[in-house]
């Protein structure tokens, strides 16, 4: 198989939407692989060299959430959910099940492609270097050193842990719950205000304009996303 070809699975039972998404994928120079059921989608990922899955939640043979859970037992391939369900609880359930991003229908093709590119840019986690750079910030996660324009920035242990979780998941929406569990531990998952307080601190230390952040973005009602 040609390594230069990037195959994107489009798992969607609504054929006009499937065609639209496939056309967009083609226009971005990726190769779409279509599936109209969850079962066909799982087979596609298992059998072909698929790099990303675009997934509808309402499928005839299996719920999209079950699809995500099933796929996550054997693959960490990026999943972008495309759904008519716009409720926060639906987004949170999909992200908690292991989806990487969520776009609500109707969607703009430009936004779909932008999100797709971000997810594809994410290197496999084990390959990510421990030094991360964005804007004029340099973060060495191993040495716990943060510099901004050459100046050392002091972070507390908790700030550093939160920054580390965000930096190693670039472009990915992280739910409040997930961040709480990763940074403060499972006993604190209900105390979402901790996350807000610490995100504010990171913005104050690392954003050019903390009131209008470029990198530590709020996903209203859901969580946060680090944009390199
Ligand atoms: Ca559907």
């Amino acid at each position: 198989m040609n390594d230069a070809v990037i195959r994107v699975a489009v798992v969607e039972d609504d054929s006009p939407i499937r065609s639209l998404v496939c056309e967009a994928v083609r226009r971005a120079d990726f190769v779409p692989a279509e599936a109209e059921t969850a079962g066909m989608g799982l087979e596609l990922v298992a059998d072909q060299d698929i790099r990303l899955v675009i997934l509808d939640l309402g499928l005839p043979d299996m719920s999209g959430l079950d699809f995500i859970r099933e796929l996550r037992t054997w693959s960490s391939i990026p999943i972008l959910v495309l759904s008519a369900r716009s409720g926060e609880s639906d987004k949170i359930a999909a992200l908690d099940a292991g989806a990487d991003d969520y776009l609500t229908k109707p969607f703009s093709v430009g936004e779909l492609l932008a999100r797709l590119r971000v997810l594809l840019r994410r290197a496999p986690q084990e390959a990510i270097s421990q030094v991360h750079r964005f804007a004029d910030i340099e973060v060495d996660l191993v040495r716990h050193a943060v510099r901004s324009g050459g100046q050392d920035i002091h972070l507390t242990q908790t700030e550093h842990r939160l920054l580390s979780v965000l930096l190693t998941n670039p472009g990915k929406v992280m739910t409040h719950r997930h961040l709480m569990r990763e940074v403060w531990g499972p006993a604190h998952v209900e105390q979402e205000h901790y996350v807000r307080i610490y995100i504010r601190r990171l913005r104050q230390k690392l954003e050019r304009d903390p009131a209008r952040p470029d990198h530590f973005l709020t996903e209203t009602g859901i969580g946060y996303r680090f944009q390199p």
Side-chain angles (χ1 to χ4, degrees):
M1 223 171 259
N2 184 348
D3 280 347
V5 171
I6 295 180
R7 282 190 174 70
V8 174
V10 179
V11 187
E12 165 72 77
D13 60 328
D14 183 320
S15 89
I17 295 180
R18 196 170 65 240
S19 304
L20 175 75
V21 175
C22 286
E23 182 49 39
V25 165
R26 236 175 258 121
R27 227 185 303 152
D29 288 332
F30 305 128
V31 176
E34 301 180 43
E36 46 187 293
T37 64
M40 288 167 66
L42 289 169
E43 272 175 38
L44 265 185
V45 182
D47 296 344
Q48 295 192 25
D49 180 23
I50 302 287
R51 291 276 305 281
L52 182 144
V53 178
I54 298 176
L55 176 71
D56 174 34
L57 287 187
L59 294 165
D61 54 333
M62 189 192 283
S63 86
L65 288 183
D66 286 338
F67 177 100
I68 297 169
R69 289 189 196 105
E70 164 77 31
L71 185 60
R72 280 293 174 254
T73 62
W74 49 271
S75 171
S76 58
I77 183 174
I79 302 173
L80 170 63
V81 168
L82 197 54
S83 176
R85 302 176 195 172
S86 59
E88 279 172 5
S89 59
D90 293 310
K91 294 184 186 175
I92 291 169
L95 294 166
D96 271 345
D100 295 276
D101 202 355
Y102 196 110
L103 199 55
T104 305
K105 295 173 188 167
F107 55 92
S108 93
V109 167
E111 182 170 15
L112 171 69
L113 294 179
R115 302 249 186 134
L116 212 113
R117 280 192 295 270
V118 167
L119 290 176
L120 286 168
R121 258 201 314 268
R122 284 175 53 203
Q125 302 237 339
E126 48 280 8
I128 287 176
S129 128
Q130 289 303 292
V131 177
H132 298 257
R133 292 183 184 83
F134 57 96
D136 64 347
I137 308 279
E138 189 176 294
V139 180
D140 186 329
L141 290 180
V142 176
R143 288 174 47 245
H144 285 213
V146 181
R147 291 170 77 79
S148 168
Q151 300 279 343
D152 287 326
I153 308 260
H154 176 74
L155 296 189
T156 65
Q157 284 291 331
T158 305
E159 289 165 356
H160 190 84
R161 269 206 302 279
L162 177 59
L163 179 64
S164 164
V165 173
L166 290 165
L167 253 52
T168 50
N169 292 279
K172 179 170 174 170
V173 182
M174 312 293 285
T175 63
H176 293 118
R177 244 188 129 71
H178 181 84
L179 290 170
M180 285 307 304
R181 199 170 48 226
E182 292 290 311
V183 178
W184 284 269
H188 299 276
V189 290
E190 305 302 335
Q191 282 143 312
E192 291 179 2
H193 61 282
Y194 285 9
V195 182
R196 270 194 292 281
I197 292 166
Y198 277 85
I199 288 281
R200 202 181 308 143
R201 291 192 189 175
L202 287 183
R203 284 175 178 158
Q204 274 156 5
K205 292 183 178 182
L206 303 175
E207 290 279 4
R208 201 176 34 83
D209 180 356
R212 284 184 304 166
D214 293 321
H215 305 290
F216 301 95
L217 308 181
T218 301
E219 293 284 334
T220 307
I222 298 173
Y224 296 94
R225 176 206 299 265
F226 169 66
Q227 197 65 46

